[in-house]
Amino acid sequence: MLCEFEESWPLSEAQSGIWFVQESDPESPVLNNGERYELRGNLDVEAFEKAVATMVSESESLRMRFFVTDDGPRQCLDPDREYPLRIVDLSEDPNPEGAVQARVREELSSPLDMVHDPLYAHTLFRLGEDHYVWYQQAHHLIVDGYTFMLLARRVAEVYSGLVAGADIGEPLGSFRDLMTQTESYESGPERQEDARFWTEYLDGAPQHTALKRHEGKIGKRVLSSSRYVSAEQLARIEQVAELQGTRWKQLMMALTAVYTHRWTGEEDILLGLPVTGRTTELSRSVPSMCSNVIPLRLNIGPSRSVAAVAQDVAASLRSCLSYQRHPVTATKRLLGQTPQNMREFGPLINIMSFDYDLKFGDLSCEGDLLAQGIIEELRINVLHRRGSLRIVFDANSAVFTEEELDQYADSFIRLLDFLCQNPSALVGEMDLASEEQLSRVVNEFSVGESRIFADRSVHEVFQERVAQAPDAVALVF
């Protein structure tokens, strides 16, 4: 496909990475992103349609078309591209919520052709009287999590203005202006300064930190397992964080680092920290794919306190966030990774505290993240909603089974509970295994013939056994 319009732009580095992943597996749907918003009250459907149409008309990134040239993929703006709101009435369905979920699963599991398919869609489901669900889906090439929040916030603002006969607020920012700003960054001194920072910060660091041994292949679906933290439990987490001189978000990152250390035994570890990549006022007003991932490097040993790790997290964030625009692929190259063998920095910890308490006039609204891009191994999403937490463990189906994911999720919650009961705990005191699992190790796995070697040390006995049976299995974990 050739672009019919005069002006076109190359893909940003963030978009280029996504393009490469999708091109390497065109039948994979893992780059489909989705969110839903449950609306209760007397919805003015006509005003809602107008609000959605206004948002689409202001969102240039949603109306981008992509095409391939000899110099690589490019994008151009189609000013006439529209995304009419689909309205589906499920009020007569015996299980309207189940019907919504089935429809959403079907759409999220359908791969999109980046050149020929529309990359954005939205549907308003009517589940019953005064009960609606607005669902929006887009390819990661044109949106990120922050963009979904921007789009929903703008629809809410316009709708509220329309039903009240009031001002509908300022339009969204210009994607074309953002592209100019991005090109200036990529060729300017700020990019060079960012590279200098990351070069020094990552000097001597491991190439990546993995919870499990795997080849980095991406499965065709994302496994998900959720755990919930009540308002009362969150208050305790905040109290522990205050005792340690930090905030609950930094404490959750520190806990993820401890969790990674306990699973891997590594002391110099990397975590992946998703960031908005938006450091300017313009970028914070423009729907686009700007999000990035930066490495968080931490040194953890059994004799350190969790409080000390949390302080290290806070110090690293103060240093690193100013340099968050540096493209993730360029940062990975600083670690010695090659284009043929790019890996995530480590487990991803994604603290999502975007404002989902949107006001659609006098309607109540509850937002929910449904899908959010590719995962190489494990991503821990911490969603702050209405004074409580929902912790979503998303995993690559090529690396984890559902049973394994539940085990990893349970062990994280186990560490969190232990820390809340023991705020001054040392890392070495944090145990991944439950009492039941430890009992099985003692009472089941350790049952067998016991022999005493009074004249030899353990390593000498082991070496003797290796010489006798060099191909035997030494350990099953």
Side-chain angles (χ1 to χ4, degrees), residues 207 215 337-343:
Q207 284 194 346
E215 298 177 355
Q337 297 189 26
T338 64
Q340 296 74 28
N341 190 31
M342 285 283 182
R343 302 290 296 270

Side-chain angles (χ1 to χ4, degrees), residues 227-229 234 237 248-253 255-256 274 348-354 356 369 372 379-385 388-394 412-413 416:
R227 302 294 184 272
Y228 295 88
V229 174
L234 177 56
I237 294 170
W248 73 265
K249 296 179 184 179
Q250 286 79 14
L251 185 61
M252 295 298 287
M253 294 179 193
L255 187 69
T256 304
L348 294 163
I349 173 65
N350 189 18
I351 309 290
M352 303 183 68
S353 53
F354 298 151
Y356 278 87
L369 173 71
Q372 192 191 19
R379 180 177 62 218
I380 302 172
N381 298 305
V382 182
L383 291 83
H384 188 209
R385 299 288 186 273
S388 60
L389 298 180
R390 177 184 172 205
I391 306 178
V392 183
F393 299 82
D394 289 334
F412 185 92
I413 298 301
L416 179 60

Side-chain angles (χ1 to χ4, degrees), residues 117-411:
D117 289 338
L119 300 183
Y120 177 79
H122 46 192
T123 305
L124 181 67
F125 296 99
R126 181 173 183 264
L127 280 67
E129 185 176 0
D130 296 340
H131 188 193
Y132 296 83
V133 169
W134 176 43
Y135 163 69
Q136 54 176 344
Q137 173 190 330
H139 195 281
H140 203 15
L141 189 64
I142 60 172
V143 303
D144 52 26
Y146 185 92
T147 286
F148 268 144
M149 181 273 296
L150 272 182
L151 301 180
R153 183 184 292 171
R154 182 58 180 149
V155 172
E157 181 181 41
V158 175
Y159 175 83
S160 298
L162 290 174
V163 296
D167 183 70
I168 63 171
E170 293 297 318
L172 296 166
S174 166
F175 181 77
R176 285 178 285 190
D177 290 346
L178 180 62
M179 289 299 298
T180 300
Q181 189 177 85
T182 300
E183 290 171 3
S184 176
Y185 165 78
E186 291 180 350
S187 61
E190 189 179 351
R191 166 72 182 266
Q192 296 174 6
E193 179 59 29
D194 288 356
R196 282 192 292 269
F197 169 82
W198 290 113
T199 299
E200 181 178 344
Y201 181 78
L202 296 172
D203 183 36
Q207 284 194 346
H208 70 281
T209 301
L211 292 171
K212 298 180 66 178
R213 290 186 178 181
H214 59 92
E215 298 177 355
K217 294 181 179 179
I218 305 299
K220 293 196 179 293
R221 67 190 185 103
V222 174
L223 304 180
S224 187
S225 185
S226 294
R227 302 294 184 272
Y228 295 88
V229 174
S230 68
E232 182 180 356
Q233 291 171 309
L234 177 56
R236 177 56 180 160
I237 294 170
E238 292 173 334
Q239 184 181 38
V240 171
E242 185 176 357
L243 286 172
Q244 298 181 348
T246 186
R247 299 176 181 273
W248 73 265
K249 296 179 184 179
Q250 286 79 14
L251 185 61
M252 295 298 287
M253 294 179 193
L255 187 69
T256 304
V258 172
Y259 170 83
T260 302
H261 164 74
R262 296 298 285 167
W263 272 111
T264 65
E266 301 292 334
E267 296 195 354
D268 187 0
I269 68 169
L270 296 176
L271 299 180
L273 182 65
V275 291
T276 66
R278 292 169 161 86
T279 59
T280 66
E281 183 177 353
L282 173 64
S283 63
R284 289 188 285 270
S285 71
V286 179
S288 61
M289 169 48 206
C290 279
S291 66
N292 197 18
V293 178
I294 62 173
L296 197 62
R297 185 183 183 186
L298 297 163
N299 187 273
I300 301 178
S303 62
R304 300 202 72 201
S305 67
V306 180
V309 177
Q311 293 292 337
D312 286 353
V313 167
S316 285
L317 290 175
R318 286 193 295 269
S319 298
C320 295
L321 289 177
S322 297
Y323 305 94
Q324 63 178 280
R325 295 179 70 184
H326 193 250
V328 61
T329 52
T331 308
K332 289 178 178 180
R333 287 195 293 269
L334 296 176
L335 288 166
Q337 297 189 26
T338 64
Q340 296 74 28
N341 190 31
M342 285 283 182
R343 302 290 296 270
E344 287 177 347
F345 299 120
L348 294 163
I349 173 65
N350 189 18
I351 309 290
M352 303 183 68
S353 53
F354 298 151
D355 182 10
Y356 278 87
D357 294 330
L358 303 174
K359 301 297 183 184
F360 289 81
D362 58 359
L363 305 177
S364 69
C365 172
E366 185 170 341
D368 192 15
L369 173 71
L370 300 176
Q372 192 191 19
I374 63 172
I375 305 168
E376 182 187 293
E377 189 178 63
L378 181 71
R379 180 177 62 218
I380 302 172
N381 298 305
V382 182
L383 291 83
H384 188 209
R385 299 288 186 273
R386 301 182 186 276
S388 60
L389 298 180
R390 177 184 172 205
I391 306 178
V392 183
F393 299 82
D394 289 334
N396 181 359
S397 59
V399 177
F400 288 87
T401 65
E402 292 183 354
E403 183 180 0
E404 287 173 332
L405 179 58
D406 281 336
Q407 178 187 359
Y408 274 71
D410 288 341
S411 65

